[in-house]
Amino acid sequence: MTTHEYPVGATPPLGIPKAAVPRPYPGAASDDWLRPQSEAGPDPAPRPETGPVATTGTGPDSAQQSAPRRPGRDRYLDLLRSIALVRVVVYHLFGWAWLSVLFPSMGVMFALAGSLMARSLSRPPLSVIRGRLRRLLPPLWAFSAVALTMMFAGGWNPVKDPDQGGTWGLIDLLNYIVPIGAPPFPWHLGSESGLLESDWADQGAGVLWYLRAYLWFVVASPLLLWAFRRVPWATLLAPLALTAVVGTGLVTIPGETGNAITDFTVYGGCWVLGFAHHEGMLAKVPRYIAVSCSTLLMAFALWWASGHLGPDGWDLNDIPLADAMWSFGFVVILLHYSPSWQQLPGRLTKWDKLITLSNNRAVTIYLWHNMLIMATVPILDQAYNLPFLQSDLAVATLDKTYTLMMFVLVWPLIGLAILAFGWIEDIAAKRGPRLWPNGSGGRRSNSRSARGRRAKV
């Protein structure tokens, strides 16, 4: 059993999709990773601050310290989403197993989405779920249209597919429209000498596991939040207990159903941790207790992983129980230390525009990044045909630096994908389309709007 976050080019266990991001390889915005920067609005139920708050004293300084913080975006959470997205791209490109230990992106992103889902559920649940679907599905449809067109053009017939053919093969195509289950795709298409690797469809469409998991978490959130508010500790720890059952082989559920249930249990603890963050429960736990317990949990995760190494060694994505425990402890520490920045501090300010852009276009980056990693290969292969790169030394240098050049090239390709498809996220959110929403124009527009309001007064 595995949580199947695989690097491009790796071979997954039978029956398990290879590519998965952000797993995530996704993060992003004020209500969750699907809500863009410009939609940040008043927080209907601001969570308690974890830092010290002045409660005594008089005078202007004391009043300023004790005044409630203005509601708005939490730039610390935005920073975490951006780091998670970058880590996902790097992992899928280089395939370094230790990245799953250094920064468990998927656990972080599910926790952030859970926190913001709890915030949104101050509104009627059905309207919140409808809003999430509205923001999720149009970008998925654009990706599905391109991916399916390429698969059909390559000769794939879902009716005759030996793995998922017949009527069910056609029905499963509906998962490209609403990702309730795993969308079908051919494990091999084309040839090794073709423009793309023969497993490009597996790598490209395999990332949709995250949308499936996210969708089920969203649908389950009203019930999960209801349970959390009544029996918080039981709801928080239940996913870890379930992972010990379904993620260790104690109970085996075959096929994609087993994968979906394992995903839900592995990351369910992080999702509910997001509830605890928003509700202020984490802030009530003394820091030394939170950090000590998290450290013990993470130590157990490493101990368990050491005896259950997968095909890629210490890649925790292949070891569900270790992944769940490590991600849970890691997220507790991140959220307990959460400084709740309204602005990025110090040297981080120079990354403000990129962080804003990545949060506004998280869905686009997540959906397309694996395809774009593969697209770097035929582009870079043309370098071998350049006249001034025909010497043995030049060819050897290209071979040694090939993956590094893929890393350099994939970012401008992601930028092109943002320009080509990112505006769909704005349409899905019922906003005017924007090509490059990095926040630079928003502040000027807001200033002009404020001046206009003052002029009318």
Side-chain angles (χ1 to χ4, degrees):
M1 191 66 67
T2 176
T3 55
H4 51 275
E5 181 183 7
Y6 293 93
V8 171
T11 302
L14 183 61
I16 297 176
K18 173 193 317 182
V21 218
R23 161 195 227 142
Y25 313 139
S30 105
D31 272 350
D32 66 352
W33 67 280
L34 295 173
R35 186 170 181 180
Q37 166 88 14
S38 63
E39 278 202 4
D43 193 340
R47 61 181 180 81
E49 298 296 329
T50 58
V53 178
T55 57
T56 60
T58 58
D61 293 338
S62 176
Q64 184 177 2
Q65 289 177 345
S66 60
R69 183 188 295 267
R70 286 188 301 109
R73 295 189 56 80
D74 190 330
R75 298 298 280 166
Y76 175 72
L77 302 187
D78 288 348
L79 175 64
L80 292 182
R81 291 188 197 94
S82 297
I83 293 173
L85 281 170
V86 172
R87 201 286 276 166
V88 161
V89 175
V90 172
Y91 173 87
H92 281 146
L93 182 56
F94 292 97
W96 293 328
W98 52 266
L99 286 173
S100 65
V101 177
L102 178 66
F103 194 88
S105 286
M106 300 315 297
V108 171
M109 295 177 70
F110 278 118
L112 300 180
S115 175
L116 295 167
M117 187 69 185
R119 165 180 171 170
S120 296
L121 283 173
S122 60
R123 306 194 302 271
L126 286 180
S127 68
V128 174
I129 294 173
R130 237 184 355 254
R132 292 299 185 278
L133 287 175
R134 189 184 69 240
R135 293 183 177 92
L136 174 69
L137 296 182
L140 169 63
W141 295 339
F143 175 84
S144 298
V146 174
L148 287 174
T149 299
M150 293 174 64
M151 292 179 200
F152 294 150
W156 180 54
N157 186 341
V159 177
K160 298 180 179 179
D161 191 299
D163 296 318
Q164 59 248 333
T167 304
W168 283 112
L170 287 176
I171 294 176
D172 281 346
L173 288 177
L174 295 176
N175 288 308
Y176 282 101
I177 301 175
V178 181
I180 297 175
F185 48 82
W187 289 98
H188 296 282
L189 191 64
S191 64
E192 293 295 339
S193 59
L195 191 62
L196 296 174
E197 298 180 30
S198 62
D199 60 352
W200 68 265
D202 174 18
Q203 298 183 45
V207 302
L208 299 182
W209 75 266
Y210 183 87
L211 273 68
R212 174 189 66 190
Y214 176 84
L215 176 62
W216 282 112
F217 276 126
V218 166
V219 172
S221 282
L223 178 60
L224 287 174
L225 186 59
W226 175 86
F228 175 79
R229 286 172 174 169
R230 283 154 181 79
V231 281
W233 287 106
T235 307
L236 186 62
L237 299 177
L240 297 181
L242 290 174
T243 303
V245 175
V246 303
T248 60
L250 187 62
V251 173
T252 302
I253 303 174
E256 282 299 327
T257 300
N259 291 335
I261 293 175
T262 301
D263 294 340
F264 197 89
T265 58
V266 168
Y267 299 113
C270 292
W271 187 273
V272 180
L273 269 178
F275 293 173
H277 174 251
H278 176 267
E279 298 286 299
M281 175 180 168
L282 282 181
K284 296 176 183 178
V285 179
R287 180 161 293 174
Y288 74 93
I289 293 180
V291 173
S292 298
C293 292
S294 297
T295 302
L296 290 174
L297 201 64
M298 295 165 72
F300 172 82
L302 295 180
W303 172 80
W304 179 266
S306 67
H308 300 81
L309 298 180
D312 296 315
W314 282 88
D315 194 331
L316 298 186
N317 298 289
D318 298 330
I319 315 168
L321 183 58
D323 193 10
M325 298 291 186
W326 181 266
S327 297
F328 189 94
F330 197 95
V331 167
V332 166
I333 294 173
L334 282 181
L335 294 184
H336 207 286
Y337 277 88
S338 176
S340 299
W341 297 323
Q342 289 191 314
Q343 294 181 343
L344 293 173
R347 296 181 180 179
L348 290 175
T349 54
K350 65 181 179 181
W351 301 100
D352 183 83
K353 292 182 180 180
L354 286 178
I355 291 172
T356 299
L357 178 66
S358 65
N359 275 263
N360 280 321
R361 293 295 180 253
V363 182
T364 299
I365 295 170
Y366 163 67
L367 284 172
W368 292 96
H369 83 274
N370 242 19
M371 284 282 202
L372 299 174
I373 288 175
M374 290 183 287
T376 63
V377 175
I379 296 174
L380 289 175
D381 282 349
Q382 300 306 311
Y384 289 92
N385 298 325
L386 296 175
F388 55 87
L389 293 177
Q390 298 302 309
S391 67
D392 292 340
L393 178 60
V395 171
T397 302
L398 282 174
D399 290 341
K400 291 179 180 179
T401 60
Y402 198 92
T403 306
L404 180 60
M405 289 189 294
M406 290 175 66
F407 174 76
V408 173
L409 181 59
V410 75
W411 299 108
L413 291 181
I414 289 175
L416 290 176
I418 288 173
L419 292 173
F421 301 104
W423 55 271
I424 298 175
E425 295 191 50
D426 293 326
I427 301 297
K430 296 184 177 181
R431 286 192 315 276
R434 300 166 298 168
L435 289 179
W436 199 256
N438 63 357
S440 59
R443 286 187 289 271
R444 288 193 297 270
S445 298
N446 291 339
S447 298
R448 288 195 296 268
S449 177
R451 287 197 299 269
R453 288 193 298 269
R454 287 195 296 271
K456 293 179 181 179
V457 174

